[in-house]
Amino acid sequence: MDLREKKTRRSIYNAFLKIRATKPLEKITIKELAEEAEISKATFYLHYKDVYDLSDALQAEAISKIIENIEDPESMTENPERVFVSLSNSFQANQGLVDILFSSSQKSKLPLLVEQAIIEKVFAVHPEYKDDLAITTKLSFMIMGCFYAYLNNRNSYNDTIVIETISDSLKKLSL
């Protein structure tokens, strides 16, 4: 990717995030996005099919960033509490971006994408788990359960207490 293309993509990303912070995804038009990014609509279409394609690309980037900051996500089977604490810290570090990209109609995508990314990491190290329904189910249960427990309680209780409580619960589960 050349410098001009990088600048254009950055301009599109920044414009999208600015608009998305105040509007649901379904209400964003290519016209307003192109105006905010100071590009033509044709230039936008050279890079993305529509705003959903752009949103998906930014969401995938955000998930990658979150997962990259988790210590050994593939160790979810051996040490789920450590992975969860690391995931929570990474999630907190990227909270602003996550809140913009995964608000309103996009909210339900966040835990699904996180689950998928962590399970991919586990299967890369433990391919034998792919066909094991018990392990796959437990992984989904742990990841989704922890994620929803965290999201549902983080505004009512201190983050540290929520993370510790969930981590303690994970210690009782074993694969």
Side-chain angles (χ1 to χ4, degrees):
M1 187 180 321
D2 69 5
L3 183 59
R4 188 180 66 217
E5 189 175 345
K6 284 181 184 178
K7 285 182 178 182
T8 300
R9 283 185 183 261
R10 190 173 336 119
S11 178
I12 293 170
Y13 286 5
N14 290 337
F16 178 79
L17 291 173
K18 182 177 179 183
I19 296 168
R20 183 70 176 92
T22 62
K23 269 186 167 180
L25 181 62
E26 300 78 19
K27 301 280 185 187
I28 298 173
T29 65
I30 301 300
K31 180 182 179 201
E32 77 178 313
L33 188 56
E35 286 173 5
E36 183 67 39
E38 298 179 342
I39 60 168
S40 69
K41 286 171 46 174
T43 299
F44 176 86
Y45 286 116
L46 287 173
H47 299 279
Y48 302 99
K49 292 187 309 188
D50 53 28
V51 292
Y52 297 98
D53 186 34
L54 170 59
S55 181
D56 288 347
L58 287 171
Q59 288 174 347
E61 225 175 82
I63 295 299
S64 290
K65 192 175 181 181
I66 289 168
I67 299 301
E68 282 173 12
N69 291 321
I70 298 175
E71 290 179 39
D72 304 319
E74 64 279 355
S75 71
M76 186 71 178
T77 54
E78 298 87 28
N79 198 342
E81 62 276 5
R82 190 181 87 205
V83 173
F84 171 70
V85 169
S86 186
L87 172 61
S88 300
N89 293 335
S90 183
F91 181 73
Q92 289 171 333
N94 293 284
Q95 190 70 52
L97 182 62
V98 167
D99 285 346
I100 292 170
L101 292 174
F102 294 97
S103 63
S104 60
S105 67
Q106 300 297 299
K107 194 173 206 141
S108 64
K109 290 175 79 174
L110 179 60
L112 295 172
L113 292 172
V114 168
E115 176 195 25
Q116 179 184 1
I118 291 174
I119 287 178
E120 282 177 15
K121 295 279 189 180
V122 171
F123 287 169
V125 173
H126 300 285
E128 69 276 14
Y129 291 169
K130 263 187 180 172
D131 297 323
D132 189 323
L133 178 60
I135 289 177
T136 303
T137 302
K138 250 184 190 174
L139 281 169
S140 291
F141 176 77
M142 287 189 302
I143 295 165
M144 298 297 269
C146 290
F147 209 85
Y148 280 111
Y150 174 73
L151 287 177
N152 289 336
N153 292 293
R154 69 186 176 120
N155 293 327
S156 301
Y157 302 96
N158 174 293
D159 263 3
T160 305
I161 293 169
V162 173
I163 292 168
E164 286 174 6
T165 302
I166 295 169
S167 182
D168 288 344
S169 297
L170 278 173
K171 288 177 187 172
K172 297 172 185 160
L173 295 174
S174 63
L175 291 175

